[in-house]
């Protein structure tokens, strides 16, 4: 009971804080206002150390969203983790995670950004290995090692920023020097590691070994969005360079994850790949030069993705912790409210008109159509949007509709705390998009397109819907497509073998080299000449001394006679 009260108390505190930050952020946005807070925490003679915090509309609204989602996740976790022995440790880890994210959001200084950035990586590792089995340990190691690449690059960029004379990046946004390109590349690669763009994508589905509430928090508003948020902050520096190569990487990430989600059967991994697809969308529109649209989609995506994870968590909970969608089916009869929320979040993800995902995705697609990029990129972009609808429909078909479910007589329940958190997130998934679009874009974007380009998103969404249904629909007497094209399915569903590249391909060469050195240095001439030479020398000397001590009278007489002989001669 005390544990439940702690969860409820933390929920209430974070929710009220989030509400305050959100309202203040809207006020700052309306009045184009921002505050820099300098906190001097150490002064020794003439040395002064200060901590600077930046409160503008962007950081305040984002902090409000992070706190809203984390409060709902903690309320949900109170019921989800009730049978866990270490649920207080879990609560403290989640609070640490949120604090690290807030630290990163309000920092205009690269040093304090590093503190938040490192905190996110470390706490995410603790949460991924929370269940303490081999799979969790492997996933945690892959997660933290990939994120360490980003941490090292942030450290190098801090060293590089000494050229500026200060670590406050906000003072130098307009400066364009020759060496700024290297600094920017470090930041972009650091952002790519956190936001899991190609070639760092393999850790994101692996991080699904964490408890489901953590996945909801990580994949909506905290860990994976940190990279996007950092690049949004540095966007005015990015636009000094040609970003088409980075745009291509983002589009390929979007396409690869959309393709992989259509051939995956693990419920949480499908939603993780869906997050990766949306991150690719955010990055691509950022590199085209629209940081505000990126931030807008970041906020709308956070709420419907958190809702999607919470619904999936309850479904997995009721399915006796199985995550394979092939065992599910007909859940709508037993969990009607959860399935309704699941469908709303899925439709918002697809860009259903007048849900929050529509307001951000539609304007992104239309702005992209206006830019006149090359045909390959245009096609990749729209095919990826179609794939989003495809895996969403497949998910609904397998989990909710009257599928051939194996688990039919489990104990289904919908907890009060879980329902409260879902209601709030559903409300935000419906309302937030329109509200933020009215607030952020007071002067609306003028989009003027021919008819065929205007209905292009609708065409691809319809095609994706048809494809998703056709790929998942099957009769009892027919052979599944996945059996007929098993090798192709395996290639597409394994993220183009990227997890293999990130694990076996890296450490197998190192193991071969270490084996070679072991046999040739440790067990070869190296051992004899280098490691054991001193021991051989001293053992030889000690044996000589030992011989001398045992035969000292004989040796003394012989040496005396030898000296006498020399004197006579």
């Amino acid at each position: 009971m005390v544990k439940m009260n702690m969860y409820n108390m933390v929920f209430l505190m974070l929710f009220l804080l989030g509400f305050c930050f959100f309202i203040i952020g809207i006020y700052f946005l309306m009045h184009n206002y921002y505050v820099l807070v300098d906190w001097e925490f150490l002064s020794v003679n003439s040395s002064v150390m200060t901590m600077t915090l930046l409160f503008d509309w962007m950081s305040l609204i984002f902090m409000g969203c992070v706190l809203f989602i984390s409060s709902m996740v903690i309320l949900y976790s109170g019921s989800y983790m009730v049978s866990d022995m270490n649920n207080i440790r879990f609560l403290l880890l989640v609070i640490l995670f949120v604090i690290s994210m807030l630290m990163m959001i309000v920092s205009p200084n690269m040093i304090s950004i590093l503190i938040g950035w490192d905190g996110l990586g470390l706490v995410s590792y603790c949460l991924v290995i929370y269940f303490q089995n081999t799979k969790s340990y492997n996933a945690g190691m892959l997660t933290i090692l990939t994120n360490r690449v980003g941490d090292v690059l942030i450290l190098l960029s801090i060293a590089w920023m000494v050229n500026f004379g200060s670590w406050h990046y906000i003072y130098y946004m307009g400066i364009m020097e020759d060496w700024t390109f290297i600094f920017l590349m470090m930041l972009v690669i650091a952002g790519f590691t956190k936001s899991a763009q190609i070639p760092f994508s393999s850790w994101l589905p692996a991080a699904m070994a964490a408890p489901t509430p953590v996945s909801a928090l990580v994949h909506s508003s905290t860990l994976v969005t940190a990279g996007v948020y950092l690049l949004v902050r540095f966007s005015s520096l990015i636009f000094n360079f040609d970003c088409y190569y980075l745009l291509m990487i983002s589009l390929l990430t979007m396409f690869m994850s959309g393709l992989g989600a259509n051939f995956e059967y693990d419920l949480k991994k499908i939603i993780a790949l869906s997050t990766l697809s949306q991150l690719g969308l955010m990055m691509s529109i950022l590199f085209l030069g629209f940081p505000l649209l990126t931030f807008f989609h970041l906020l709308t995506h956070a709420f419907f993705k958190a809702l999607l994870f919470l619904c999936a968590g309850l479904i997995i909970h009721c399915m006796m912790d199985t995550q394979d969608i092939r065992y599910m089916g007909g859940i709508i009869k037993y969990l009607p409210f959860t399935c309704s929320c699941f469908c709303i979040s899925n439709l918002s993800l697809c860009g259903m008109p007048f849900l929050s995902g529509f307001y951000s995705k539609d304007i992104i697609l239309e702005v992209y159509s206006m830019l006149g990029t090359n045909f390959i990129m245009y096609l990749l972009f729209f095919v990826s949007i179609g794939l989003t609808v495809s895996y969403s429909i497949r998910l609904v078909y397998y989990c909710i509709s009257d599928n051939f479910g194996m688990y039919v007589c489990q104990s289904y329940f919908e907890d009060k705390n879980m329902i409260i958190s879902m209601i709030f997130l559903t409300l935000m998934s419906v309302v937030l998009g329109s509200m933020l679009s009215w607030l952020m874009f007071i002067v609306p974007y003028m989009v003027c397109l021919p008819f065929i380009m205007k209905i292009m998103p609708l065409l691809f969404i319809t095609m994706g819907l048809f494809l998703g249904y056709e790929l998942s629909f099957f009769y009892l007497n027919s052979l599944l497509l996945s059996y007929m094209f098993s090798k192709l399915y395996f290639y597409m569903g394994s993220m183009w073998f990227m997890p293999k590249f990130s694990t076996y391909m890296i450490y197998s060469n190192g193991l071969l080299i270490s084996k070679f050195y072991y046999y040739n240095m440790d067990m070869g001439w190296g051992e004899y000449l280098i490691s054991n030479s001193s021991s051989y020398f001293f053992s030889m000397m000690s044996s000589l001394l030992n011989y001398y001590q045992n035969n000292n009278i004989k040796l003394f007489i012989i040496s005396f006679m030898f000296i006498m002989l020399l004197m006579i001669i």
Side-chain angles (χ1 to χ4, degrees):
M1 193 66 191
V2 175
K3 291 178 178 180
M4 288 295 291
N5 288 340
M6 273 195 73
Y7 272 87
N8 291 338
M9 188 175 69
V10 172
F11 150 72
L12 196 62
M13 191 170 67
L14 292 184
F15 185 79
L16 291 174
L17 262 176
F19 186 73
C20 293
F21 278 134
F22 201 77
I23 297 298
I24 296 167
I26 290 170
Y27 177 81
F28 276 34
L29 174 62
M30 292 291 97
H31 294 83
N32 198 16
Y33 190 68
Y34 72 94
V35 175
L36 266 173
V37 179
D38 256 353
W39 171 41
E40 184 183 305
F41 62 89
L42 184 66
S43 178
V44 181
N45 294 337
S46 60
S47 273
V48 178
M49 292 185 76
T50 58
M51 178 82 185
T52 313
L53 305 174
L54 170 66
F55 295 101
D56 64 344
W57 70 269
M58 197 176 273
S59 62
L60 284 164
I61 287 179
F62 194 28
M63 278 201 296
C65 290
V66 169
L67 287 167
F68 274 147
I69 290 168
S70 54
S71 68
M72 292 302 147
V73 165
I74 283 169
L75 181 65
Y76 179 92
S77 304
S79 300
Y80 191 88
M81 306 294 286
V82 71
S83 58
D84 192 80
M85 289 176 67
N86 303 313
N87 51 13
I88 293 298
R89 182 199 298 169
F90 176 79
L91 178 64
L92 292 173
L93 281 171
V94 171
I95 292 167
L96 266 175
F97 199 64
V98 173
I99 290 168
S100 299
M101 189 65 196
L102 297 184
M103 182 77 184
M104 201 230 131
I105 292 170
V106 295
S107 299
N109 187 309
M110 289 302 290
I111 302 286
S112 45
I113 280 179
L114 181 70
I115 295 167
W117 191 270
D118 250 350
L120 283 171
L122 186 64
V123 181
S124 68
Y125 173 70
C126 297
L127 287 165
V128 169
I129 65 164
Y130 183 80
F131 286 135
Q132 297 182 15
N133 52 44
T134 311
K135 184 188 170 190
S136 297
Y137 290 147
N138 291 337
M141 195 49 70
L142 179 58
T143 302
I144 198 163
L145 289 178
T146 311
N147 281 311
R148 284 315 286 168
V149 177
D151 298 341
V152 168
L153 285 162
I154 291 280
L155 269 170
L156 288 172
S157 63
I158 286 170
W160 208 247
M161 269 195 88
V162 174
N163 289 310
F164 280 146
S166 166
W167 285 307
H168 285 71
Y169 68 83
I170 52 166
Y171 300 153
Y172 304 108
M173 284 289 99
I175 292 177
M176 180 60 204
E177 299 283 347
D178 293 339
W179 54 267
T180 321
F181 177 73
I182 301 169
F183 169 64
L184 196 65
M185 279 302 103
M186 288 176 188
L187 286 173
V188 166
I189 297 168
F192 273 16
T193 57
K194 268 286 191 281
S195 295
Q197 303 296 296
I198 288 174
F200 307 107
S201 306
S202 51
W203 73 263
L204 197 73
M208 290 295 99
T212 309
V214 173
S215 304
L217 192 58
V218 163
H219 287 252
S220 60
S221 57
T222 51
L223 184 68
V224 293
T225 56
V228 179
Y229 181 77
L230 184 77
L231 293 183
V232 166
R233 283 296 194 193
F234 279 93
S235 55
S236 51
L237 253 180
I238 292 171
F239 303 149
N240 295 321
F241 301 100
D242 185 8
C243 297
Y244 269 85
Y245 178 68
L246 301 172
L247 169 65
M248 194 67 195
I249 291 175
S250 306
L251 284 175
L252 282 173
T253 306
M254 193 178 164
F255 178 66
M256 178 267 296
S257 50
L259 207 57
N262 276 292
F263 301 107
E264 180 63 64
Y265 288 102
D266 187 317
L267 176 59
K268 281 176 74 176
K269 280 191 178 175
I270 292 171
I271 305 174
L273 288 166
S274 146
T275 304
L276 189 51
S277 175
Q278 298 306 303
L279 288 168
L281 177 67
M282 291 174 211
M283 284 288 193
S284 56
I285 202 69
L286 173 67
F287 290 129
L288 281 168
F290 296 94
L292 266 185
L293 285 182
T294 305
F295 186 65
F296 180 34
H297 189 56
L298 186 68
L299 296 180
T300 55
H301 167 261
F303 283 94
F304 61 72
K305 189 50 60 72
L307 176 61
L308 200 57
F309 264 112
L310 295 190
C311 295
L314 187 50
I315 290 168
I316 291 165
H317 214 47
C318 294
M319 285 284 171
M320 299 301 288
D321 298 330
T322 185
Q323 293 175 200
D324 197 319
I325 58 172
R326 289 169 291 192
Y327 292 150
M328 300 176 188
I331 299 173
I332 195 158
K333 295 173 183 172
Y334 308 103
L335 301 172
F337 180 77
T338 306
C339 290
S340 306
C341 295
F342 190 76
C343 285
I344 288 169
S345 57
N346 250 326
L347 289 171
S348 190
L349 170 66
C350 296
M352 172 86 175
F354 312 117
L355 295 178
S356 68
F358 164 76
Y359 287 93
S360 55
K361 285 186 91 168
D362 191 63
I363 189 74
I364 285 173
L365 289 171
E366 292 191 343
V367 164
Y368 189 78
S369 298
M370 282 181 71
L371 289 175
T373 51
N374 64 49
F375 181 69
I376 297 292
M377 287 186 175
Y378 189 75
L379 196 65
L380 263 179
F381 205 81
F382 277 89
V383 166
S384 304
I385 297 297
L387 288 171
T388 303
V389 184
S390 171
Y391 62 70
S392 299
I393 294 300
R394 179 172 174 265
L395 211 53
V396 169
Y397 176 81
Y398 267 101
C399 298
I400 292 174
S401 69
D402 289 329
N403 195 6
F404 303 103
M406 304 295 174
Y407 289 176
V408 287
C409 49
Q410 303 300 330
S411 54
Y412 295 105
F413 71 99
E414 290 181 331
D415 189 86
K416 182 185 74 174
N417 286 352
M418 292 181 172
I419 284 180
I420 290 169
S421 53
M422 283 183 204
I423 286 172
F424 177 79
L425 290 172
T426 307
L427 191 67
M428 295 303 271
S429 297
V430 175
V431 171
L432 188 82
S434 55
M435 185 172 77
L436 278 178
S437 67
W438 297 330
L439 288 169
M440 284 171 66
F441 309 112
I442 299 168
V443 179
Y445 276 98
M446 173 63 187
V447 179
C448 186
L449 293 169
F451 178 72
I452 187 68
M453 289 178 82
K454 195 75 174 169
I455 63 161
M456 194 69 80
L458 195 62
L459 284 174
F460 273 93
I461 283 170
T462 312
M463 281 165 61
L465 197 148
F466 175 74
L467 183 71
Y469 183 72
E470 284 298 317
L471 279 177
S472 52
F473 188 78
F474 60 90
Y475 298 100
L476 282 174
N477 60 353
S478 68
L479 197 60
L480 274 173
L481 283 171
S482 54
Y483 287 114
M484 292 160 64
F485 303 105
S486 56
K487 286 187 173 59
L488 183 66
Y489 266 52
F490 179 71
Y491 172 69
M492 289 176 172
S494 62
M495 295 172 68
W496 301 346
F497 303 135
M498 209 174 297
K500 305 276 190 300
F501 281 105
S502 303
T503 51
Y504 312 136
M505 294 282 287
I506 289 175
Y507 69 67
S508 58
N509 296 328
L511 286 175
L512 283 172
I513 293 167
S514 62
K515 183 182 174 186
F516 171 78
Y517 278 118
Y518 177 72
Y519 281 126
N520 289 287
M521 294 295 289
D522 284 7
M523 293 300 166
W525 282 100
E527 177 79 8
Y528 184 76
L529 289 173
I530 298 164
S531 303
N532 290 340
S533 57
S534 56
S535 66
Y536 285 146
F537 174 73
F538 285 116
S539 64
M540 190 178 71
M541 290 297 290
S542 64
S543 63
L544 191 66
L545 286 169
N546 193 25
Y547 180 78
Y548 176 71
Q549 284 171 358
N550 290 336
N551 301 283
N552 55 355
I553 296 172
K554 292 175 190 174
L555 289 169
F556 182 72
I557 293 168
I558 290 168
S559 61
F560 178 74
M561 288 174 68
F562 183 68
I563 292 164
M564 289 299 290
L565 185 67
L566 281 173
M567 285 173 70
I568 291 166
I569 293 169

